Every structure is written in C-alpha cells, then in structure tokens.
Amino acid sequence: MRVLFVTMPIVPHFYPMVSLAWAFRAAGHDVRVAGQPTIHRVVTGAGLPVVSVGDGYKPEEDMMNTLRRLSGGVESITRFGMDEVLNLPVGARRRFAEARIAPLVRLAEVMARDLVSFVEFWKPDLIIADPLVFAAPIAAEISGVPFVRNLWGPDVIARLNFPGQSMTGMGHLQDSWPEDLVELYRSFGVKVRSHYAAASIDPCPTSLQLPGVPNRIPMRYVPYNGSGVLPSWLTERNDRRRICVTWGTSTTRLLGDSGFLVPQILDALRGVDAEIVLAIGEPDRHLITDSTGVRIVENLPLNLLLPSCSLVVHPGGAGTMLTAAVHGIPQVGLPQIADQHVNAAQLAATGAGINVPRDSYQGGIETAIRECLSDNRFNESARRLRWDMLRQPTPASVVEQLLALDPYLP
C-alpha cells in the first residue's frame, strides 16, 4: 500500500505525523511525505522520504502579517480564545476567519498543482494530511482515495468551522469558504462540501479533546520532538526537583519578541528550590539576558528531558502539552495565540495543570508554579491523564483501521 502524508511547512505540525508514518513503514507499506522546501530537512531528519510541493511561498510570515493587518495588532490577536471567537458578532467573526484562512488559501493555491501532479504519478492508496493543508482534499477527490485528517491536538480547526472540516451544527457552508478557495476547488472539478475526511486521527484522549470530532480514530501519542543526543547529566542522579521552561518552536516566530515571557517566568522561579532547565531554540537564545542559576539547553528533544521533570512551564503548544501529558508531568500554561488558549483550558479542565490567562501574568505565574509544586492533586491528575493516553490504540493498530477505510467515504 502507498501512503502519502501531506504536511504544513511548520515543524510542530509535522512531528505528530512521524509515529504513524513509521508504523505504516514498519508494517511494510510505502510512505512519502509531501511538503514545501522549508520542511524538507526536518522530514528527512525523521528518516522519511520527502516530495517537494508548493515552492515560493512562506505561509508563516504571511499568516502573522495578515493577522496584524486585519485585527489591529498582536495584542488583539493573542487575547482571543476559541469561545471569544465563536461569540463575536457575525461580521467580526467572518473577518477573524478570513485573517486566519487567507494565508492557508494562498498556500493551497501554491501547493495544489504540484500535489495533484505527484498523486497522479505515484497513485497513493491513502492520503493523510494536516487539517490546514486545504490542497489535500483536492488531491484525494481527484484520485478517488480516502482522505484522513491528522490532528495535532484539540480540534480547534473543525470547531472554528474551517473549510471542509465543519463539526455538526457549526455554522453554514457558505460562511466558512472564502471565494478564492471555492474557485480553486472548482478549477479542479471538486465539489465544495462541509467535510471530506473519512477519518480524523486524534492523539488526544477524550478528556483533552473537544467534543464532536468528525469520524474520530483515537491514537496513542508517541512523542517525537526531533532527533538528538541524550546529555550525560540527564543520566546522573539528581535529588532536586527539576522544572522545565520552554517557549516552543513557533510562538516567537508568529508573535515576535514582544510576547516572549521567558524572562518573566525565570523571575518567578528565582525563589523556588529546584533545578531550572530552559529548553529553547537557537533563534530565541539572544532574548535571554540573565540566565543566573539556569541550565540552558538548545534544541534538546523534550521527550528526552521531561521524564526527569516535576513541572513544565510553556505557552500551551499542543506538542509540549501532549509530550508532558504522556509522561505524567503537571503543567503551567501561559497561552499566547488562539489554539494555545484552547489547549491550556482543556488541560486545566483535567486537573493536570493550571491555565494562567493573559490578564493574570503579573503575579499569577509564580502563584501557579508554587501551587502546582505544592498540591499533590496536580500530580495525581497528571498520572490519570498519562494512563488515559497510554490506553489509546497504538499507531500500529491504527494502521489496521486505516487499511479498512472505504475510498468512497464520507
């Protein structure tokens, strides 16, 4: 069987595909990953073959520029959680949706021709794609093979009624499809529908996921945060608590330096009796001006570090949240952008962490850290969440479910 994965050119969106891609390969199937040139090195670093589609456009840059232009600046973007967006007046909600979707429509326009050409050449039996790759359903419809969404966390995309991925009862079809995207689908002879996916692969247990995920297939989250070397200090005995602080891989790229809260977090940790480890990417390193008493590690995969930690403090990205959750680690979330607000709220609802809202950062960060460290209920909830995740079907068993998909669903 030939399986084509289609990824966004954003590292945290590719990583959740790796365990399933390797499960297909381990079961004897042929796998390719289609993506833009900016993601090629990351894909090949995971040991997977990559096909180039959609050169010449960088959606992350356009995404932030578009959001700033249409919503009046970064502050108004970051204050929105999902409930706030859904409760906006119809006109404002439409403008917000257009701001979020416009770069993705442009990405679909750039990727579609290359993707369809490769699908016609390689003839895959199954297409598994990031929900934000709007070109993937076109390729699946033209080739007549099942299309599967590969979620990376709580399904904010379907809840916000993104094109072709609506939850039942969430708005009207004409409200969610920009005219440019409708025209792109029509140019390939593909009919506009409310959803296309025969299945949605979900790495979240029910306790973390939003209700109503269409055609949900749960799958155990197997952490992949890139490859790396295990430092010798992680194998040595450590009698002190260890706290991980991380700012993820995309937050600063999307928001710029102004939303970088790591110095504030480190200040809040000054009086805490623990070893502080700051896991950071090289591009953010220059933003740290005072690292007294802090161990800084660059580009260390979190799945190597977090098993030794008592707490992780982060902005609420799904990759960090799920990696910490599968290791049973309590978390403090400091959400910055819309999906992070949802992730942090869902996690807090399980009792495995605390969501600190933007208007409570002053003083609230230290309070949340100390509460998580002193109240054993957070550890107990984190352990329950870990077992919820480990009870999910393995990627190997999900491969068997996907092999049985009817190509004419949904």
Side-chain angles (χ1 to χ4, degrees):
M1 185 173 182
R2 293 179 173 181
V3 183
L4 177 63
F5 286 79
V6 190
T7 182
M8 284 285 288
I10 300 175
V11 172
H13 287 234
F14 167 67
Y15 281 170
M17 294 181 165
V18 172
S19 63
L20 184 58
W22 270 106
F24 270 107
R25 295 202 73 178
H29 303 289
D30 203 2
V31 170
R32 298 288 185 275
V33 178
Q36 290 185 288
T38 51
I39 200 71
H40 288 181
R41 182 177 296 182
V42 178
V43 176
T44 56
L48 295 167
V50 65
V51 177
S52 188
V53 295
D55 195 4
Y57 175 64
K58 297 180 179 179
E60 264 191 306
E61 293 179 8
D62 201 15
M63 209 176 292
M64 199 60 233
N65 291 336
T66 303
L67 281 168
R68 284 175 172 160
R69 185 175 66 252
L70 293 184
S71 61
V74 71
E75 289 299 321
S76 58
I77 298 166
T78 59
R79 75 169 185 264
F80 283 124
M82 185 180 65
D83 290 339
E84 286 84 355
V85 173
L86 292 175
N87 290 327
L88 287 171
V90 173
R93 186 167 68 244
R94 177 77 182 196
R95 287 192 298 274
F96 185 90
E98 288 174 352
R100 299 291 289 179
I101 291 172
L104 302 175
V105 174
R106 283 191 279 277
L107 178 63
E109 292 169 340
V110 169
M111 291 181 69
R113 186 65 59 188
D114 290 345
L115 187 59
V116 169
S117 295
F118 178 72
V119 165
E120 290 175 340
F121 162 76
W122 197 54
K123 295 179 173 54
D125 302 292
L126 178 66
I127 295 177
I128 301 174
D130 187 297
L132 297 182
V133 180
F134 296 158
I138 295 175
E141 290 286 299
I142 288 175
S143 59
V145 301
F147 166 64
V148 173
R149 302 163 70 233
N150 195 96
L151 305 182
W152 64 85
D155 196 2
V156 180
I157 302 306
R159 177 57 65 89
L160 290 179
N161 203 29
F162 271 38
Q165 302 176 75
S166 302
M167 289 184 176
T168 303
M170 295 301 299
H172 301 288
L173 186 61
Q174 63 269 26
D175 293 334
S176 63
W177 282 79
E179 187 55 40
D180 288 348
L181 191 59
V182 172
E183 183 55 37
L184 178 65
Y185 273 58
R186 286 175 178 166
S187 72
F188 283 94
V190 176
K191 183 180 178 182
V192 169
R193 298 207 307 266
S194 59
H195 66 99
Y196 294 87
S200 297
I201 305 300
D202 186 6
C204 294
T206 303
S207 57
L208 268 183
Q209 186 54 268
L210 298 167
V213 175
N215 303 319
R216 178 178 181 261
I217 295 180
M219 184 181 79
R220 183 186 303 173
Y221 179 76
V222 179
Y224 177 80
N225 316 114
S227 57
V229 177
L230 180 69
S232 60
W233 55 269
L234 277 176
T235 67
E236 298 169 357
R237 177 173 174 172
N238 180 24
D239 293 327
R240 298 181 72 201
R241 290 181 299 192
R242 178 175 288 146
I243 298 174
C244 171
V245 177
T246 184
W247 207 240
T249 57
S250 294
T251 304
T252 305
R253 285 207 307 275
L254 285 173
L255 297 181
D257 298 352
S258 61
F260 190 71
L261 293 182
V262 170
Q264 246 179 284
I265 299 169
L266 297 181
D267 284 344
L269 286 165
R270 296 296 179 199
V272 175
D273 182 18
E275 178 190 9
I276 311 303
V277 179
L278 173 58
I280 198 167
E282 189 276 331
D284 290 344
R285 181 64 178 82
H286 72 283
L287 298 173
I288 305 300
T289 57
D290 182 5
S291 58
T292 305
V294 177
R295 185 194 294 270
I296 298 180
V297 294
E298 294 183 9
N299 304 316
L300 177 66
L302 285 180
N303 61 299
L304 298 182
L305 171 61
L306 291 188
S308 69
C309 294
S310 301
L311 178 69
V312 58
V313 185
H314 64 101
T320 303
M321 177 184 73
L322 292 174
T323 301
V326 81
H327 289 301
I329 311 300
Q331 307 175 49
V332 171
L334 308 172
Q336 301 294 298
I337 49 182
D339 63 323
Q340 294 176 352
H341 288 275
V342 176
N343 298 338
Q346 292 296 108
L347 178 79
T350 71
I354 296 177
N355 173 20
V356 183
R358 171 172 288 273
D359 57 5
S360 299
Y361 288 167
Q362 188 67 36
I365 297 176
E366 181 177 357
T367 299
I369 289 170
R370 291 185 179 278
E371 187 175 349
C372 273
L373 291 173
S374 62
D375 191 336
N376 195 51
R377 288 178 297 180
F378 292 102
N379 284 305
E380 293 171 353
S381 295
R383 284 193 290 269
R384 283 196 298 271
L385 180 58
R386 166 179 160 80
W387 284 113
D388 283 349
M389 297 184 73
L390 294 179
R391 280 193 290 265
Q392 301 241 106
T394 65
S397 63
V398 169
V399 165
E400 296 303 315
Q401 294 183 64
L402 293 176
L403 293 179
L405 285 178
D406 187 326
Y408 299 102
L409 290 176

